[in-house]
Amino acid sequence: MRMSRRTFAAAAVAAVLLPLSACGSGGDGGGSSDASGKVEGDITFQTWNLRANFKPYFEGLVAEFEKKYPGTHVKWIDQPAEGYADKISADAAGGTLPDVVNVSPDLVAPLARAGLALDLDKAAGRYKGEYLEGAWGAHRIPGTSGTYAFPWYLNTGPLFYNKSLFRKAGLDPDAPPKTYDQLFADALRIAERTGGKVATLANVPTIEDFGRYGVPLMNQDGTGFAFNDPKGAELLGKYKQLYDAKALDPQALTATPESSGKKFLTEAVAMNPGSALDLGNFKKQAPNLYRNIGITDQITSTGHVNMYVMGVMVNAQSKRKPAAVAFAHFVTDAAHQMSFAKQVAIFPSTAGSLDDPYFTQQDGTDETRVRVAAAKSLKNAVNYTPVLFSEQMKTALRNEVARALQGKESPQEALDNAVKQCDTLLRQQGQ
């Protein structure tokens, strides 16, 4: 399950789904978008790596739905995280895609373009007002009209920092950076004071980092990428300065979210993004770090933090659309999202849910502090990663960023090359 900020960042590969664009031309692939009619019959519901930890919850959910709608039967299947995109691709190509499918925006995009994801604006638009506006819009696909999945759980998180490392560098441990200028200045200070032995950051900038910095990521009609503008080059130039000064971990070029987390856990880097889930890990695995943990907000130039969103898609070719739509809505309605959120550190996407005392009242613990702050920020959070930004595009950007940090290209040249490669991949998606 993608619950923490780090695990959310490791999105499943969507590139393998690209050949599906030849299966249809958008819309609902010849299947009717009409989901009216009696809720009855057998449907299948597929989740993404949730059975191991949440089997009782989902079995109870299914039983409750079947009781509410006599004559229905839901077969719940769960797929492992690894190879999930491959499984969806194979099912879509073979005509065996389940009726209701747990997806992320990048996974639903090629399915929508292939006509395999039901347009909920047409089939279930009456439910739109039940969800946060930004969450409902997370599964809209540039170049198509419509929304292709119910929003389900959300996540975001703070920046954690090591107060001890800040203190040793002569920085105020209770005054973490709030702006990018402060972040870069503090990072250079820590590197200088430790002789380059302690880096502040362990990750190279990703597409969401450019978004938080205020860089336009795509043109207005969603037909091309735009993160190579002067502000994008400026951000990459700042990271180049950090890299040269060893304020950015030297292994950042090949780092994964997991390896970056371990660097922070072993106090080799001073800051790392995370979520409330991480606090328990710190307490258990790194007591010294936990005693010195600092918590601050995500740094952003836009006033909007980044959020990660999961969704529940309805197969446009389902023979039981009324039941499939009813169940997808049932899974994601306010009551069931709140129930799920109290079992694990995620957040509901339903309007008003984040005003519940569970997300607004402090009890003096760090876990609650993170939960309350995250819930507040989610009300106007943005999923910065473009829906059409595939895994291949992420790799292209990462490779060009590495070339810039190594001095093989200027920041502007690197981003120009990355945009060129991503635009080529984008055109291939639409073929």
Side-chain angles (χ1 to χ4, degrees):
M1 178 179 182
R2 283 154 169 72
M3 297 173 291
S4 75
R5 185 186 186 283
R6 292 203 302 268
T7 52
F8 256 95
V13 177
V16 296
L17 289 164
L18 299 182
L20 294 176
S21 61
C23 298
S25 56
D28 50 43
S32 170
S33 63
D34 184 12
S36 62
K38 187 176 182 180
V39 176
E40 62 182 358
D42 296 353
I43 60 172
T44 52
F45 168 48
Q46 177 172 289
T47 52
W48 185 352
N49 195 30
L50 296 176
R51 183 180 294 273
N53 294 320
F54 305 104
K55 182 179 178 181
Y57 173 81
F58 285 100
E59 288 180 340
L61 188 73
V62 167
E64 186 182 348
F65 179 81
E66 292 175 347
K67 182 178 179 180
K68 181 177 181 180
Y69 296 100
T72 61
H73 176 71
V74 180
K75 179 182 179 182
W76 173 40
I77 54 178
D78 186 69
Q79 299 294 343
E82 185 161 356
Y84 189 72
D86 293 333
K87 175 61 176 172
I88 290 179
S89 179
D91 284 344
T96 57
L97 197 66
D99 298 281
V100 181
V101 187
N102 178 190
V103 292
S104 56
D106 57 327
L107 292 184
V108 83
L111 294 171
R113 287 187 156 187
L116 297 175
L118 187 67
D119 180 357
L120 298 179
D121 284 338
K122 293 180 180 179
R126 63 191 180 279
Y127 298 128
K128 178 180 177 180
E130 297 181 16
Y131 301 88
L132 295 171
E133 183 178 353
W136 183 267
H139 295 92
R140 293 195 179 111
I141 317 300
T144 66
S145 60
T147 299
Y148 295 95
F150 283 100
W152 194 7
Y153 55 87
L154 310 175
N155 215 335
T156 191
L159 273 174
F160 291 115
Y161 68 99
N162 188 318
K163 289 186 175 183
S164 176
L165 295 179
F166 269 62
R167 190 180 297 110
K168 289 176 181 177
L171 297 171
D172 184 346
D174 296 316
K178 299 293 186 181
T179 67
Y180 282 100
D181 285 345
Q182 293 171 0
L183 171 64
F184 298 139
D186 286 355
L188 292 172
R189 174 81 171 267
I190 291 173
E192 179 185 4
R193 289 295 181 91
T194 63
K197 293 181 179 179
V198 176
T200 296
L201 302 176
N203 294 291
V204 300
T206 63
I207 193 71
E208 72 183 54
D209 293 307
F210 286 97
R212 272 202 303 262
Y213 196 67
V215 179
L217 303 181
M218 297 192 78
N219 58 27
Q220 290 187 348
D221 58 3
T223 59
F225 291 95
F227 52 82
N228 59 333
D229 87 329
K231 197 167 183 66
E234 175 183 282
L235 177 63
L236 187 50
K238 296 287 188 181
Y239 268 84
K240 168 66 171 162
Q241 293 176 17
L242 298 185
Y243 185 74
D244 289 344
K246 295 185 178 180
L248 176 64
D249 186 74
Q251 297 178 355
L253 302 185
T254 57
T256 64
E258 290 74 21
S259 67
S260 300
K262 290 179 181 178
K263 287 270 186 177
F264 184 69
L265 205 64
T266 59
E267 303 188 64
V269 296
M271 302 189 80
N272 202 57
S275 81
L277 285 175
D278 294 301
L279 289 170
N281 294 333
F282 299 156
K283 185 184 295 186
K284 182 178 180 180
Q285 300 178 31
N288 186 63
L289 171 65
Y290 185 76
R291 285 191 293 270
N292 289 285
I293 201 69
I295 306 170
T296 189
D297 295 332
Q298 286 183 35
I299 295 175
T300 171
S301 296
T302 66
H304 302 279
V305 302
N306 186 65
M307 75 171 176
Y308 303 93
V309 56
M310 279 289 169
V312 177
M313 184 200 89
V314 175
N315 183 351
Q317 297 180 347
S318 171
K319 295 179 180 179
R320 300 289 186 180
K321 283 193 184 71
V325 169
F327 184 73
H329 173 252
F330 190 78
V331 171
T332 62
D333 69 18
H336 294 106
Q337 288 213 45
M338 179 61 74
S339 175
F340 195 37
K342 290 184 177 180
Q343 295 199 21
V344 64
I346 48 89
F347 300 87
S349 62
T350 40
S353 295
L354 296 177
D355 295 323
D356 186 273
Y358 183 72
F359 296 113
T360 59
Q361 294 183 2
Q362 301 280 1
D363 63 4
T365 65
D366 285 337
E367 289 81 0
T368 300
R369 176 185 166 193
V370 171
R371 182 173 68 242
V372 170
K376 182 179 180 180
S377 69
L378 275 170
K379 291 183 178 181
N380 68 345
V382 173
N383 179 18
Y384 284 108
T385 303
V387 174
L388 298 176
F389 201 69
S390 69
E391 197 71 17
Q392 288 173 302
M393 296 173 189
K394 294 174 188 176
T395 299
L397 174 59
R398 187 179 184 90
N399 289 343
E400 291 299 330
V401 164
R403 291 181 65 82
L405 297 181
Q406 292 170 326
K408 296 177 180 178
E409 296 172 348
S410 71
Q412 187 65 62
E413 289 171 338
L415 294 182
D416 286 343
N417 289 335
V419 164
K420 183 177 180 180
Q421 294 172 53
C422 290
D423 282 347
T424 297
L425 291 166
L426 186 63
R427 288 192 294 272
Q428 292 173 357
Q429 283 186 13
Q431 292 174 359

Short mmCIF file of all heavy atoms in Angstrom, two decimals, residues 225-261:
data_model
loop_
_atom_site.label_atom_id
_atom_site.label_comp_id
_atom_site.label_asym_id
_atom_site.label_seq_id
_atom_site.Cartn_x
_atom_site.Cartn_y
_atom_site.Cartn_z
N PHE A 225 5.38 19.63 -22.45
CA PHE A 225 5.94 19.97 -21.15
C PHE A 225 6.65 21.32 -21.20
O PHE A 225 7.10 21.76 -22.26
CB PHE A 225 6.89 18.86 -20.69
CG PHE A 225 6.16 17.59 -20.35
CD1 PHE A 225 6.01 16.58 -21.29
CD2 PHE A 225 5.58 17.42 -19.10
CE1 PHE A 225 5.31 15.42 -20.99
CE2 PHE A 225 4.87 16.26 -18.79
CZ PHE A 225 4.74 15.26 -19.73
N ALA A 226 6.73 21.96 -20.02
CA ALA A 226 7.24 23.33 -19.98
C ALA A 226 8.18 23.58 -18.81
O ALA A 226 8.48 24.73 -18.51
CB ALA A 226 6.05 24.30 -19.89
N PHE A 227 8.68 22.52 -18.17
CA PHE A 227 9.49 22.72 -16.97
C PHE A 227 10.92 23.19 -17.28
O PHE A 227 11.73 23.32 -16.37
CB PHE A 227 9.52 21.46 -16.10
CG PHE A 227 9.91 20.20 -16.81
CD1 PHE A 227 11.25 19.89 -17.01
CD2 PHE A 227 8.94 19.31 -17.26
CE1 PHE A 227 11.62 18.71 -17.65
CE2 PHE A 227 9.30 18.13 -17.89
CZ PHE A 227 10.64 17.83 -18.10
N ASN A 228 11.21 23.45 -18.57
CA ASN A 228 12.53 23.98 -18.94
C ASN A 228 12.52 25.49 -19.00
O ASN A 228 13.38 26.09 -19.65
CB ASN A 228 12.99 23.40 -20.27
CG ASN A 228 12.03 23.70 -21.42
OD1 ASN A 228 10.82 23.89 -21.19
ND2 ASN A 228 12.55 23.74 -22.64
N ASP A 229 11.58 26.14 -18.34
CA ASP A 229 11.56 27.60 -18.34
C ASP A 229 12.65 28.12 -17.40
O ASP A 229 13.29 27.34 -16.68
CB ASP A 229 10.15 28.11 -17.99
CG ASP A 229 9.93 28.25 -16.49
OD1 ASP A 229 10.53 27.47 -15.72
OD2 ASP A 229 9.16 29.12 -16.10
N PRO A 230 12.92 29.44 -17.37
CA PRO A 230 14.03 29.96 -16.55
C PRO A 230 13.94 29.59 -15.08
O PRO A 230 14.97 29.36 -14.43
CB PRO A 230 13.90 31.47 -16.75
CG PRO A 230 13.32 31.62 -18.13
CD PRO A 230 12.33 30.48 -18.24
N LYS A 231 12.73 29.50 -14.54
CA LYS A 231 12.59 29.16 -13.12
C LYS A 231 13.01 27.70 -12.88
O LYS A 231 13.58 27.37 -11.84
CB LYS A 231 11.16 29.40 -12.66
CG LYS A 231 11.01 29.46 -11.15
CD LYS A 231 9.66 30.02 -10.75
CE LYS A 231 9.55 30.15 -9.23
NZ LYS A 231 10.49 31.17 -8.69
N GLY A 232 12.73 26.84 -13.84
CA GLY A 232 13.17 25.45 -13.73
C GLY A 232 14.68 25.35 -13.74
O GLY A 232 15.28 24.61 -12.94
N ALA A 233 15.31 26.10 -14.66
CA ALA A 233 16.77 26.10 -14.73
C ALA A 233 17.37 26.68 -13.45
O ALA A 233 18.43 26.24 -12.98
CB ALA A 233 17.23 26.88 -15.95
N GLU A 234 16.69 27.66 -12.88
CA GLU A 234 17.15 28.26 -11.62
C GLU A 234 17.18 27.22 -10.50
O GLU A 234 18.16 27.12 -9.76
CB GLU A 234 16.22 29.41 -11.24
CG GLU A 234 16.53 30.05 -9.90
CD GLU A 234 15.52 31.14 -9.57
OE1 GLU A 234 15.65 32.24 -10.13
OE2 GLU A 234 14.61 30.88 -8.75
N LEU A 235 16.09 26.43 -10.38
CA LEU A 235 16.05 25.42 -9.32
C LEU A 235 17.15 24.38 -9.52
O LEU A 235 17.85 24.02 -8.56
CB LEU A 235 14.69 24.73 -9.31
CG LEU A 235 14.55 23.59 -8.28
CD1 LEU A 235 14.70 24.12 -6.86
CD2 LEU A 235 13.23 22.85 -8.44
N LEU A 236 17.32 23.91 -10.74
CA LEU A 236 18.34 22.90 -10.98
C LEU A 236 19.73 23.48 -10.73
O LEU A 236 20.63 22.78 -10.23
CB LEU A 236 18.23 22.37 -12.42
CG LEU A 236 19.13 21.19 -12.77
CD1 LEU A 236 19.03 20.07 -11.75
CD2 LEU A 236 18.78 20.67 -14.17
N GLY A 237 19.92 24.76 -11.04
CA GLY A 237 21.20 25.42 -10.74
C GLY A 237 21.48 25.45 -9.25
O GLY A 237 22.63 25.27 -8.82
N LYS A 238 20.43 25.66 -8.44
CA LYS A 238 20.60 25.65 -6.99
C LYS A 238 21.02 24.26 -6.50
O LYS A 238 21.89 24.13 -5.63
CB LYS A 238 19.29 26.05 -6.31
CG LYS A 238 18.81 27.47 -6.61
CD LYS A 238 19.64 28.51 -5.90
CE LYS A 238 19.03 29.89 -6.05
NZ LYS A 238 19.84 30.93 -5.37
N TYR A 239 20.41 23.24 -7.07
CA TYR A 239 20.79 21.87 -6.70
C TYR A 239 22.22 21.55 -7.12
O TYR A 239 22.92 20.80 -6.44
CB TYR A 239 19.81 20.87 -7.30
CG TYR A 239 18.66 20.52 -6.40
CD1 TYR A 239 17.53 21.33 -6.34
CD2 TYR A 239 18.69 19.40 -5.59
CE1 TYR A 239 16.46 21.02 -5.51
CE2 TYR A 239 17.63 19.08 -4.74
CZ TYR A 239 16.52 19.90 -4.71
OH TYR A 239 15.48 19.59 -3.89
N LYS A 240 22.65 22.12 -8.23
CA LYS A 240 24.04 21.94 -8.68
C LYS A 240 25.01 22.52 -7.65
O LYS A 240 26.04 21.90 -7.32
CB LYS A 240 24.22 22.61 -10.04
CG LYS A 240 25.67 22.77 -10.51
CD LYS A 240 26.37 21.46 -10.77
CE LYS A 240 27.72 21.71 -11.43
NZ LYS A 240 28.62 20.53 -11.33
N GLN A 241 24.66 23.68 -7.09
CA GLN A 241 25.50 24.28 -6.04
C GLN A 241 25.56 23.37 -4.81
O GLN A 241 26.62 23.18 -4.21
CB GLN A 241 24.94 25.65 -5.65
CG GLN A 241 25.04 26.70 -6.74
CD GLN A 241 24.39 28.02 -6.32
OE1 GLN A 241 24.13 28.27 -5.13
NE2 GLN A 241 24.09 28.86 -7.29
N LEU A 242 24.41 22.81 -4.46
CA LEU A 242 24.38 21.90 -3.31
C LEU A 242 25.22 20.66 -3.58
O LEU A 242 25.97 20.20 -2.70
CB LEU A 242 22.94 21.48 -2.99
CG LEU A 242 21.94 22.56 -2.59
CD1 LEU A 242 20.61 21.91 -2.21
CD2 LEU A 242 22.46 23.41 -1.44
N TYR A 243 25.10 20.13 -4.76
CA TYR A 243 25.84 18.91 -5.12
C TYR A 243 27.35 19.16 -5.06
O TYR A 243 28.11 18.34 -4.52
CB TYR A 243 25.42 18.45 -6.51
CG TYR A 243 26.03 17.13 -6.94
CD1 TYR A 243 25.57 15.93 -6.42
CD2 TYR A 243 27.06 17.10 -7.89
CE1 TYR A 243 26.13 14.72 -6.82
CE2 TYR A 243 27.61 15.90 -8.29
CZ TYR A 243 27.14 14.71 -7.75
OH TYR A 243 27.70 13.51 -8.14
N ASP A 244 27.78 20.28 -5.60
CA ASP A 244 29.21 20.61 -5.61
C ASP A 244 29.74 20.79 -4.19
O ASP A 244 30.91 20.48 -3.92
CB ASP A 244 29.46 21.88 -6.42
CG ASP A 244 29.27 21.66 -7.91
OD1 ASP A 244 29.24 20.49 -8.36
OD2 ASP A 244 29.13 22.67 -8.65
N ALA A 245 28.90 21.29 -3.30
CA ALA A 245 29.33 21.56 -1.92
C ALA A 245 29.11 20.35 -1.00
O ALA A 245 29.40 20.44 0.20
CB ALA A 245 28.58 22.76 -1.38
N LYS A 246 28.61 19.25 -1.56
CA LYS A 246 28.26 18.05 -0.79
C LYS A 246 27.14 18.31 0.20
O LYS A 246 26.98 17.60 1.20
CB LYS A 246 29.49 17.47 -0.08
CG LYS A 246 30.55 16.96 -1.05
CD LYS A 246 31.69 16.28 -0.33
CE LYS A 246 32.71 15.74 -1.34
NZ LYS A 246 33.85 15.07 -0.65
N ALA A 247 26.34 19.35 -0.08
CA ALA A 247 25.13 19.60 0.71
C ALA A 247 23.99 18.72 0.21
O ALA A 247 23.01 18.51 0.91
CB ALA A 247 24.74 21.08 0.61
N LEU A 248 24.15 18.21 -1.01
CA LEU A 248 23.28 17.17 -1.56
C LEU A 248 24.08 15.89 -1.53
O LEU A 248 25.23 15.85 -1.99
CB LEU A 248 22.87 17.53 -2.99
CG LEU A 248 22.02 16.50 -3.75
CD1 LEU A 248 20.66 16.33 -3.09
CD2 LEU A 248 21.84 16.92 -5.21
N ASP A 249 23.51 14.85 -0.97
CA ASP A 249 24.24 13.60 -0.81
C ASP A 249 24.84 13.13 -2.14
O ASP A 249 24.15 13.12 -3.17
CB ASP A 249 23.29 12.52 -0.27
CG ASP A 249 24.02 11.24 0.07
OD1 ASP A 249 24.73 11.23 1.09
OD2 ASP A 249 23.90 10.27 -0.70
N PRO A 250 26.11 12.76 -2.16
CA PRO A 250 26.76 12.32 -3.41
C PRO A 250 26.06 11.14 -4.07
O PRO A 250 26.16 10.96 -5.29
CB PRO A 250 28.18 11.96 -2.96
CG PRO A 250 28.42 12.76 -1.72
CD PRO A 250 27.08 12.82 -1.04
N GLN A 251 25.37 10.32 -3.29
CA GLN A 251 24.67 9.16 -3.85
C GLN A 251 23.24 9.48 -4.29
O GLN A 251 22.48 8.59 -4.66
CB GLN A 251 24.66 8.03 -2.82
CG GLN A 251 26.06 7.52 -2.48
CD GLN A 251 26.05 6.44 -1.41
OE1 GLN A 251 25.01 6.11 -0.86
NE2 GLN A 251 27.22 5.88 -1.12
N ALA A 252 22.89 10.77 -4.27
CA ALA A 252 21.53 11.17 -4.64
C ALA A 252 21.20 10.82 -6.08
O ALA A 252 20.04 10.59 -6.42
CB ALA A 252 21.34 12.68 -4.42
N LEU A 253 22.21 10.75 -6.94
CA LEU A 253 21.98 10.47 -8.36
C LEU A 253 21.38 9.09 -8.57
O LEU A 253 20.68 8.85 -9.55
CB LEU A 253 23.27 10.60 -9.16
CG LEU A 253 23.99 11.96 -9.08
CD1 LEU A 253 25.19 11.96 -10.02
CD2 LEU A 253 23.05 13.10 -9.42
N THR A 254 21.66 8.18 -7.67
CA THR A 254 21.14 6.81 -7.80
C THR A 254 20.23 6.43 -6.63
O THR A 254 19.88 5.26 -6.48
CB THR A 254 22.30 5.81 -7.89
OG1 THR A 254 23.13 5.94 -6.72
CG2 THR A 254 23.14 6.05 -9.13
N ALA A 255 19.84 7.40 -5.84
CA ALA A 255 19.06 7.10 -4.64
C ALA A 255 17.64 6.69 -4.98
O ALA A 255 17.08 7.08 -6.01
CB ALA A 255 19.03 8.33 -3.73
N THR A 256 17.07 5.88 -4.13
CA THR A 256 15.65 5.53 -4.18
C THR A 256 14.99 6.14 -2.94
O THR A 256 15.69 6.52 -1.99
CB THR A 256 15.44 4.02 -4.16
OG1 THR A 256 15.92 3.51 -2.89
CG2 THR A 256 16.19 3.35 -5.31
N PRO A 257 13.67 6.25 -2.90
CA PRO A 257 13.05 6.75 -1.67
C PRO A 257 13.45 5.93 -0.45
O PRO A 257 13.64 6.48 0.64
CB PRO A 257 11.55 6.61 -1.98
CG PRO A 257 11.45 6.72 -3.47
CD PRO A 257 12.69 6.05 -3.99
N GLU A 258 13.59 4.62 -0.63
CA GLU A 258 13.98 3.77 0.50
C GLU A 258 15.40 4.06 0.97
O GLU A 258 15.66 4.15 2.17
CB GLU A 258 13.85 2.30 0.10
CG GLU A 258 12.41 1.83 -0.08
CD GLU A 258 11.77 2.33 -1.37
OE1 GLU A 258 12.51 2.70 -2.31
OE2 GLU A 258 10.53 2.39 -1.44
N SER A 259 16.33 4.20 0.02
CA SER A 259 17.72 4.46 0.41
C SER A 259 17.86 5.83 1.05
O SER A 259 18.65 6.02 1.98
CB SER A 259 18.64 4.31 -0.80
OG SER A 259 18.41 5.32 -1.77
N SER A 260 17.10 6.80 0.55
CA SER A 260 17.13 8.14 1.16
C SER A 260 16.61 8.09 2.58
O SER A 260 17.15 8.75 3.48
CB SER A 260 16.30 9.11 0.33
OG SER A 260 16.79 9.22 -0.99
N GLY A 261 15.57 7.31 2.80
CA GLY A 261 15.04 7.15 4.14
C GLY A 261 16.05 6.55 5.09
O GLY A 261 16.15 6.96 6.26
#
